Amino acid sequence: MTADNRGAFASKLGVIMASAGSAVGLGNIWRFPTEVGRNGGAAFILVYLCFVFLLAMPVMISEFVIGRGSKANTVGAFRQLAPGKPWIVAGFMGVIGGILVLSYYSVVAGWTIFYTQESLTTALWADQDFGALFQGFVSHPWKPLLFQFLFILLTHLIVARGIERGIERFSKLMMPALLAILVFLMLFSLTMPGASRGVHYLLKPDFSKVTTGVVLSAMGQAFFSLSVGLGTLATYASYFRKETRLVQSAFSVCVIDSIVAILSGFIIFPAVFSVGNVAPDAGPGLVFITLPQVFKTAFEGLPILGYGFSLMFYVLLLLAALTSSISMHEISTAFVIENYHLPRRRAAWIVTLVCLVLGTACCLSFGPWAGIKIWDRNFFDLFDFLVAKFLMPLGGIMITMFVEWYLNRKFVVAQLTNNGTIRVRCLGLLLFLVRWVAPIGVGIVFLNEMAN
Ligand code: PFF
């Protein structure tokens, strides 16, 4: 397939919506509040924001340079830009990482479909113990698998339709819808009685809470949330046009992603504090156990509002998950299409089938296969560890080093300035971040993680 007929995003808005769609996902709405709750609130958010702009954004810009500069899938990109050199390993890490991340991400995404269904049928409101409901569902031998498969198949359908008709169109429709639902939910949450304690929790930093652990978590969260390190955004950038402004697009994606994460905090914590009897550090169950409890208590007298609120929330989570999962799928699909010269539909099926198999192992980790452990972790935790703690940071280091230390400086500047046709503010600072700050910063955190 030649560089010209491999598909492209048709518009500037499409580029931003698709890339922001990849970034905005369960990482923002499910993982971010969990991490904020666990790591003490406002101080964590500040550290997180520093990492987004100082470490993760330079990696994103580097991915954009590699992708648009080669117009190829991640493996093809390294093969083309550094023929015969070992950098290609970073490309393969991305293809493997994309499959691994989709395999476990789809488990949680499947839960969101189940909770959407439960809200829709109002079953979520029958007088029940939400902890038991969650445990009972996730450990069921086949039910969660069904929802996970449904999610993977939805992802498949969008990816199989291609770049412009599938990924771009879906992201362009969904992202504004998502933002609208978020703002609506936040306004609602902020008007609940006692919500101000949640606002205080999010805005008043207590720096005594910033420990090494908090710093490590903030970086992991920044990488995961921005989808950097696996070549997801390099793959998307290979569909950018020559007029696309790389730095501006990366900055917009980082801003949108941070806004969504913070909005999610402003939905969840005011509601949690308002209800009062649930702890903000409830962990991963926050969104699936605590929130239904919050919805129920908050709308005791007006259950119809409660149904609407929870339905909207889980639909939001599902849509956000889909715009991210298509980007994970696309890393490997683009590789299969271009490496094995297969039509898109067939390539997409191959990736989907692999994810269904690996995804099954992750899903069953909460039920019948809970006892199967590798390095002391079940499949779900193992895949999460391999992706978030290993492949993403290592990929981030390799990608920034490749761009700043291996690639020709003229080529990089030509990509960033669209062959000198646009002016990029703070170009020197940016290149400094890519050359020194990102690889060293990520390296320190990575080594620290490995030592633990
Ligand atoms: N950034 C996504 C989220 O916040 O949910 C997750 C993600 C997408 C991770 C794509 C990795 C990836 F390649």
Side-chain angles (χ1 to χ4, degrees), residues 102-121 123 133-134 136-155 288 314 318 321-322 325 355-356 359-360 363-364:
L102 182 55
S103 303
Y104 76 87
Y105 196 84
S106 55
V107 175
V108 183
W111 300 346
T112 70
I113 304 187
F114 171 73
Y115 273 75
T116 304
Q117 175 213 281
E118 291 287 284
S119 312
L120 204 60
T121 57
L133 171 77
F134 179 71
F137 171 66
V138 303
S139 60
H140 193 277
W142 54 264
K143 259 197 203 160
L145 266 180
L146 216 65
F147 287 95
Q148 180 192 18
F149 282 15
L150 183 61
F151 179 81
I152 296 181
L153 290 176
L154 285 173
T155 306
F288 294 106
Y314 291 112
L318 173 60
L322 261 177
S325 61
C355 289
L356 287 175
T360 301
C363 189
L364 295 179

Side-chain angles (χ1 to χ4, degrees), residues 19-32 48 63 94 97-99 101-102 104-105 221-233 257 320-321 323-329 331 387 392:
S19 311
S22 166
V24 171
L26 296 176
N28 303 61
I29 307 169
W30 171 64
R31 203 170 186 271
F32 181 77
Y48 168 79
E63 287 204 19
I99 289 183
V101 71
L102 182 55
Y104 76 87
Y105 196 84
Q221 175 61 21
F223 266 56
F224 189 82
S225 188
L226 289 175
S227 321
V228 293
L230 296 182
T232 324
L233 295 168
D257 192 74
T323 53
S324 297
S325 61
I326 51 182
S327 72
M328 303 167 191
H329 198 296
I331 315 177
V387 171
M392 282 186 137

Side-chain angles (χ1 to χ4, degrees), residues 64-366:
F64 281 178
V65 168
I66 294 172
R68 213 238 333 239
S70 63
K71 294 228 164 286
N73 67 86
T74 45
V75 172
F78 285 102
R79 192 176 279 146
Q80 203 186 102
L81 298 173
K85 295 280 187 304
W87 291 105
I88 201 168
V89 171
F92 281 112
M93 275 167 41
V95 171
I96 295 169
I99 289 183
L100 293 183
V101 71
L102 182 55
S103 303
Y104 76 87
Y105 196 84
S106 55
V107 175
V108 183
W111 300 346
T112 70
I113 304 187
F114 171 73
Y115 273 75
T116 304
Q117 175 213 281
E118 291 287 284
S119 312
L120 204 60
T121 57
T122 67
L124 201 55
W125 302 90
D127 183 29
Q128 57 186 317
D129 171 349
F130 293 105
L133 171 77
F134 179 71
Q135 270 314 324
F137 171 66
V138 303
S139 60
H140 193 277
W142 54 264
K143 259 197 203 160
L145 266 180
L146 216 65
F147 287 95
Q148 180 192 18
F149 282 15
L150 183 61
F151 179 81
I152 296 181
L153 290 176
L154 285 173
T155 306
H156 170 91
L157 284 180
I158 305 168
V159 172
R161 286 178 71 89
I163 305 308
E164 197 184 328
R165 284 189 327 132
I167 295 177
E168 179 171 359
R169 195 183 289 175
F170 184 76
S171 308
K172 255 165 70 177
L173 277 176
M174 288 312 139
M175 287 306 288
L178 210 112
L179 284 174
I181 301 179
L182 271 170
V183 171
F184 178 80
L185 288 177
M186 181 188 69
L187 293 178
F188 217 92
S189 193
L190 286 177
T191 52
M192 291 170 74
S196 60
R197 282 182 42 231
V199 174
H200 191 265
Y201 179 77
L202 288 169
L203 293 183
K204 265 261 154 88
D206 172 0
F207 288 105
S208 66
K209 296 222 168 98
V210 180
T211 58
T212 327
V214 170
V215 173
L216 295 183
S217 306
M219 197 198 81
Q221 175 61 21
F223 266 56
F224 189 82
S225 188
L226 289 175
S227 321
V228 293
L230 296 182
T232 324
L233 295 168
T235 307
Y236 271 15
S238 71
Y239 308 122
F240 288 3
R241 293 177 184 275
K242 62 180 189 319
E243 307 79 42
T244 304
R245 295 171 179 239
L246 302 187
V247 177
Q248 202 188 54
S249 305
F251 184 70
S252 309
V253 172
C254 291
V255 170
I256 295 175
D257 192 74
S258 307
I259 291 178
V260 172
I262 291 171
L263 278 180
S264 310
F266 277 100
I267 292 172
I268 292 174
F269 292 106
V272 164
F273 277 95
S274 166
V275 167
N277 60 350
V278 281
D281 58 354
L286 195 62
V287 159
F288 294 106
I289 301 172
T290 312
L291 264 197
Q293 174 70 51
V294 167
F295 294 147
K296 190 169 179 192
T297 317
F299 300 106
E300 202 82 79
L302 267 175
I304 187 76
L305 274 183
Y307 301 147
F309 201 92
S310 77
L311 181 62
M312 236 194 246
F313 182 82
Y314 291 112
V315 168
L316 166 83
L317 211 53
L318 173 60
L319 297 182
L322 261 177
T323 53
S324 297
S325 61
I326 51 182
S327 72
M328 303 167 191
H329 198 296
E330 180 62 21
I331 315 177
S332 316
T333 302
F335 165 71
V336 177
I337 294 174
E338 290 167 14
N339 210 55
Y340 301 104
H341 309 288
L342 288 180
R344 172 168 281 275
R345 278 173 200 281
R346 201 172 313 157
W349 266 119
I350 293 174
V351 175
T352 298
L353 290 176
V354 176
C355 289
L356 287 175
V357 173
L358 294 178
T360 301
C362 294
C363 189
L364 295 179
S365 297
F366 290 91

